[in-house]
Amino acid sequence: MQIFDQKKNLEAFLKSVKIEGKTIGLVPTMGALHQGHLSLVSQSVSENDVTVVSIFVNPTQFNNPNDLDKYPRNFQADIDLLNEVSSEIIVFAPSVNEIYGKNVTSESYDFDGLDKVMEGEFRPRHFEGVGTIVETLLRVVGPNKAYFGEKDFQQLQIIKKIVALKNIGVEIIGCPIERETHGLAMSSRNERLTETTRLKAGFIYNVLETAKDKFGTESANDIKDWVETQFTKNETLDLEYFQIADEDTLTPIKRKQRNMKYRAFIAVYAEEVRLIDNLRLN
Ligand code: PAF
């Protein structure tokens, strides 16, 4: 395994990879790797000659400084896990200074409204931060394919938008959510939950599945009311939002229409840890 912390050294290495005509897959991460990340890494390893995994806790996408401070960081454990997938993986683990220099700020983008709802509404400038780091990584690595988990479905759509806006020649691949045995979507933040709460948080997925069952026969408003009532009765989990939206535009549903792909999106607090999830409804 080779680990780079400087853009210029990684670029020089990848230049020779490209000259040899090899394909490159990129898996951007903020570390604290779990099975969800490893499934993206395995997919990239099987589809590309070279896989680059970036590990960088990106400060500009955290609207809450406490969340940034508490974000889990396990660099050596991450390297060990990646080595189990393949010892050929290239890791890019830059410092904040290497990426941003003295100017730790994000770019501005026109996401065509994709950033105005759900995560964007509750986390001001979050997607500008995500866009800035993902665009930087895509430019440094120049991959053929880049892999992102569908747990952050809104992020995935926004990244596709940036690639189109900026005409970046890369294929963005969305990969299915990996879940813990009781249904909780895998996330680095799950590490911050106590074992009891982690088990109880399986409730989020149960609610999404029932919402999906109801979607065939009930109105979106009734489902929303039902979900809100379930969380009012739950003493461990606080609902931040539940929204049913069109999968492509992320526009919240008004009335169900044929031939549209709908998805339910949810954000919940458990012990001050913010958890998100989503599920395709039809
Ligand atoms: O999904 C994440 O872990 C992050 O938002 C990403 C894409 C690595 C950018 O920092």
Side-chain angles (χ1 to χ4, degrees), residues 174-191:
C175 305
I177 300 176
E178 295 281 328
R179 297 186 178 279
E180 301 190 358
T181 42
H182 52 290
L184 178 63
M186 286 192 183
S187 162
S188 305
R189 290 188 171 83
N190 296 357
E191 280 185 30

Side-chain angles (χ1 to χ4, degrees), residues 27-31 37 40 54-59 61-62 71 100 123 126-127 129-134 137 147-149 151-152 155 159 188-189:
V27 184
T29 82
M30 297 204 296
H37 297 111
L40 308 185
S54 62
I55 299 181
F56 179 68
V57 181
N58 174 37
Q61 71 187 77
F62 285 82
Y71 200 83
Y100 288 103
R123 303 186 67 187
H126 166 68
F127 286 121
V130 171
T132 305
I133 185 62
V134 171
L137 292 168
Y147 299 80
F148 298 87
K151 181 176 73 66
D152 298 282
Q155 164 175 286
I159 290 167
S188 305
R189 290 188 171 83

Side-chain angles (χ1 to χ4, degrees), residues 78 122 178 211 218 229:
D78 292 344
F122 288 92
E178 295 281 328
E218 294 183 28
T229 310

Side-chain angles (χ1 to χ4, degrees), residues 1-271:
M1 172 164 302
Q2 292 195 62
I3 304 177
F4 293 88
D5 59 6
Q6 309 265 315
K7 288 183 275 189
K8 64 175 189 324
N9 295 345
L10 178 65
E11 279 164 341
F13 172 80
L14 292 174
K15 195 170 168 192
S16 58
V17 166
K18 287 171 199 167
I19 288 170
E20 289 170 35
K22 292 185 174 162
T23 58
I24 300 172
L26 169 67
V27 184
T29 82
M30 297 204 296
L33 302 181
H34 50 69
Q35 196 45 50
H37 297 111
L38 298 184
S39 70
L40 308 185
V41 175
S42 300
Q43 188 170 339
S44 174
V45 167
S46 71
E47 293 180 355
N48 301 280
D49 298 318
V50 171
T51 288
V52 178
V53 177
S54 62
I55 299 181
F56 179 68
V57 181
N58 174 37
T60 62
Q61 71 187 77
F62 285 82
N63 53 311
N64 175 350
N66 196 30
D67 193 24
L68 173 60
D69 281 353
K70 295 207 167 141
Y71 200 83
R73 290 158 171 91
N74 316 327
F75 189 67
Q76 193 49 51
D78 292 344
I79 298 298
D80 294 346
L81 284 170
L82 291 173
N83 253 321
E84 283 173 29
V85 179
S86 160
S87 57
E88 313 262 281
I89 288 167
I90 307 300
V91 173
F92 180 45
S95 65
V96 172
N97 189 51
E98 175 65 11
I99 293 293
Y100 288 103
K102 297 223 169 348
N103 192 17
V104 190
T105 53
S106 48
E107 303 285 318
S108 291
Y109 294 91
D110 178 1
F111 293 124
D112 208 7
L114 288 174
D115 59 328
K116 297 286 177 277
V117 290
M118 301 186 289
E119 291 303 282
E121 192 181 334
F122 288 92
R123 303 186 67 187
R125 291 200 62 78
H126 166 68
F127 286 121
E128 260 88 3
V130 171
T132 305
I133 185 62
V134 171
E135 187 180 349
T136 304
L137 292 168
L138 290 173
R139 293 200 189 283
V140 171
V141 175
N144 301 76
K145 295 181 179 177
Y147 299 80
F148 298 87
E150 285 188 347
K151 181 176 73 66
D152 298 282
F153 194 86
Q154 189 171 5
Q155 164 175 286
L156 175 64
Q157 299 299 46
I158 280 181
I159 290 167
K160 286 183 182 164
K161 174 65 87 187
I162 294 177
V163 165
L165 273 176
K166 302 277 174 138
N167 228 339
I168 305 174
V170 59
E171 188 182 345
I172 301 298
I173 317 253
C175 305
I177 300 176
E178 295 281 328
R179 297 186 178 279
E180 301 190 358
T181 42
H182 52 290
L184 178 63
M186 286 192 183
S187 162
S188 305
R189 290 188 171 83
N190 296 357
E191 280 185 30
R192 293 177 48 203
L193 301 172
T194 60
E195 207 41 47
T196 326
T197 304
R198 196 161 170 162
L199 286 173
K200 286 187 181 164
F203 181 81
I204 301 167
Y205 184 52
N206 295 340
V207 165
L208 286 179
E209 283 202 306
T210 311
K212 180 177 176 168
D213 291 342
K214 289 176 176 288
F215 194 69
T217 51
E218 294 183 28
S219 75
N221 267 344
D222 285 352
I223 298 173
K224 221 172 156 176
D225 289 346
W226 177 82
V227 171
E228 283 167 8
T229 310
Q230 301 318 298
F231 280 93
T232 324
K233 291 191 279 188
N234 189 304
E235 286 174 2
T236 316
L237 306 170
D238 286 327
L239 180 67
E240 186 170 64
Y241 67 76
F242 171 83
Q243 188 61 265
I244 298 176
D246 170 67
E247 189 171 284
D248 294 321
T249 60
L250 303 179
T251 315
I253 188 171
K254 289 208 174 72
R255 192 174 306 153
K256 260 183 256 176
Q257 287 178 29
R258 275 198 203 152
N259 303 326
M260 302 278 276
K261 290 176 280 172
Y262 292 108
R263 203 170 262 269
F265 296 86
I266 195 164
V268 167
Y269 275 94
E271 292 171 346

